[in-house]
Amino acid sequence: MGKKSQNEVKSKQNNVYKSGVQTTGCVKLPPNRRNDLNQLLDKILKVSSSVPESSNVAKELEAYQEIQKITSKIKVLEEELLQPMPDRKSSKEDFLLWLKNNNVEFDGLRIAEYPGMEFGIEAEKDFKEGDMMIAVPRRVMLTVENIHQSPLKELAKKDPLIVHMPNVALALLLLLHRRDLQSFWKPYINMLPSKYTTVLYFNPEELMHLKGSPAFEMALRQCRSITRQYAYFNKLFQRSNDEASNMLREIFTLEEYCWAVSTVMTRQNAVVSADGGDLTQALIPLWDMCNHADGKLSTDFNVALDRSECVAWRAVPAGEQVFIFYGERPNCDRLIHNGFVQPRSACDAVRVRLGVARADPLHAEKAALLPRLGLAPSGDWEVRAGPRPVSDKLAAFVRVLCMDKDQLERWTASPDVESLLLEDCPQLDAELNAKAWAFLQVRVKLLLAAYPTKLEDDEALLVDPKDARLSHCARLAVQLRCEEKRLLRDALAYVEQRAARTV
């Protein structure tokens, strides 16, 4: 096949919907089953909306368990509507040809298989630090801006979820192209995984392995939120008469929506918008097949050439896998949003929720002092990996939290109040310093005590990677528990050392 000209490629991309979308799958649910599905959708919306934003883990778990009962019935009803994904191996050659025909540069690289990672990118030649590795033109990316030339353009003007949540908009756009036989992006979509290891793919037993971790509540919220979105859009497509609703009405399923959301969560990246005035979310073919390793960011958008460029952030010899750095995220976020856990990550952290209690007689005074330090009266903090697990801001927050009336009055009147943000605050009296470190010591111990298992037991579960007792998703959850417990164990040693110095 000869190489297509840029004009031919661009014409096909811009006019993909010109004569109507050819969607696969003509199976429709009979009226009685559609009615059953609608009743289940109403139940999901009711249960998922009944949980207040300030709810605790117990309420989230109760809602999750109820939603799981409903979605198990939905999946049975929608089973005949599903479209299987093509085999990735057999799609590789078409994908590579599509990349070359569209001027994607990846000289010296190949797509390779890696145990536990499926596909990745391998160097076929030596790369020095700073060498260009992958360059992807904008027209090859699937971006939120493509919505304006798609059947979603009408809904994108008025639906609040699509307008205000670009990741949701991109997921719906991806679903449209997955079902379009003539889609410009079909070779790319055929190379995407058929399923993921985000928490949306965890069954209830696997999700329970996160119990005790701050990620448990995050995962429950994620599952509730995405299921609610699915029910919302399913109802929206049934009552609306725009082009996208007419296309998706009979083929929109929970399983495929979870797939689209997971694809976007695990692969999206921000790029400069076409007019150069803002950023937009994009799926970047080939580049998004690079797996993660801790390092430094090495991808940027070249406005002059209108393309995304990825350079080597370290030397990569021929035969080695090419890794990119996804950014600084704790492992709980990586598992929930990317579906993996990075062992011994320097970016890792464990979240701890702290706030000035409403019942505290000094609540008003503490809540007034904290903003002078740039701190909110309540929120999520992080105990971090590394030699200094307690940040200066967390230390300052706890100092204010532990103040008595006299200390609070003195610091409120002090012109040097910002010195509370210093690691070793010279004006801090010994009593308050001791109370602050003692408080942190108790909090870290409570975080460790929340896990129902011991670190040694978790490590024993992971010794044999082929141990049938753990599914792949369950193993990821146990890996997260191990990483968090090791981090908290090290943090506790640090806090105990600091507390001992106050005696």
Side-chain angles (χ1 to χ4, degrees), residues 296-314:
K296 55 187 178 182
L297 294 173
S298 59
T299 302
D300 204 354
F301 194 86
N302 187 322
V303 176
L305 297 177
D306 203 27
R307 67 183 193 179
S308 174
E309 297 178 343
C310 177
V311 301
W313 58 269
R314 63 173 177 84

Side-chain angles (χ1 to χ4, degrees), residues 13-199:
Q13 182 193 39
N14 290 343
N15 296 295
V16 67
Y17 298 107
K18 191 171 183 179
S19 59
V21 175
Q22 301 178 36
T23 54
T24 59
C26 56
V27 177
K28 294 183 180 181
L29 289 180
N32 63 321
R33 297 185 71 182
R34 173 59 68 179
N35 183 59
D36 291 343
L37 177 59
N38 284 335
Q39 291 182 36
L40 295 171
L41 295 175
D42 289 335
K43 289 181 180 179
I44 283 181
L45 290 172
K46 182 178 180 180
V47 174
S48 62
S49 301
S50 66
V51 183
E53 289 303 315
S54 58
S55 66
N56 56 27
V57 180
K59 288 287 185 183
E60 287 288 354
L61 179 58
E62 183 181 340
Y64 170 80
Q65 291 170 334
E66 185 62 31
I67 288 171
Q68 285 297 303
K69 295 176 184 176
I70 302 169
T71 56
S72 63
K73 297 176 182 178
I74 287 176
K75 289 176 180 178
V76 172
L77 285 172
E78 294 182 337
E79 188 173 6
E80 63 191 88
L81 303 178
L82 299 177
Q83 178 198 49
M85 290 287 288
D87 177 65
R88 295 183 80 189
K89 290 182 182 180
S90 61
S91 302
K92 186 169 70 171
E93 292 306 315
D94 285 344
F95 176 57
L96 290 171
L97 182 60
W98 179 77
L99 293 172
K100 292 175 181 176
N101 284 344
N102 286 283
N103 300 321
V104 176
E105 297 178 15
F106 55 102
D107 181 52
L109 300 176
R110 76 180 189 94
I111 298 173
E113 292 186 67
Y114 295 96
M117 296 181 177
E118 282 199 75
F119 288 104
I121 303 297
E122 182 179 296
E124 292 187 301
K125 67 178 185 180
D126 294 341
F127 286 88
K128 301 188 301 294
E129 181 177 346
D131 282 351
M132 179 70 68
M133 302 192 88
I134 301 174
V136 183
R138 180 192 299 278
R139 66 177 178 277
V140 179
M141 304 175 194
L142 185 62
T143 77
V144 174
E145 291 182 306
N146 293 124
I147 286 174
H148 305 304
Q149 292 82 43
S150 82
L152 274 171
K153 59 182 180 293
E154 293 179 49
L155 280 180
K157 295 176 183 177
K158 57 187 179 182
D159 183 78
L161 260 67
I162 298 176
V163 171
H164 299 294
M165 299 181 70
N167 55 327
V168 169
L170 191 54
L172 292 174
L173 182 64
L174 178 63
L175 274 181
L176 282 171
H177 283 285
R178 171 174 169 165
R179 290 287 189 149
D180 178 15
L181 291 173
Q182 302 301 318
S183 171
F184 169 76
W185 289 277
K186 197 66 175 174
Y188 166 61
I189 293 171
N190 288 348
M191 271 299 291
L192 291 171
S194 59
K195 60 182 180 179
Y196 293 88
T197 51
T198 63
V199 293

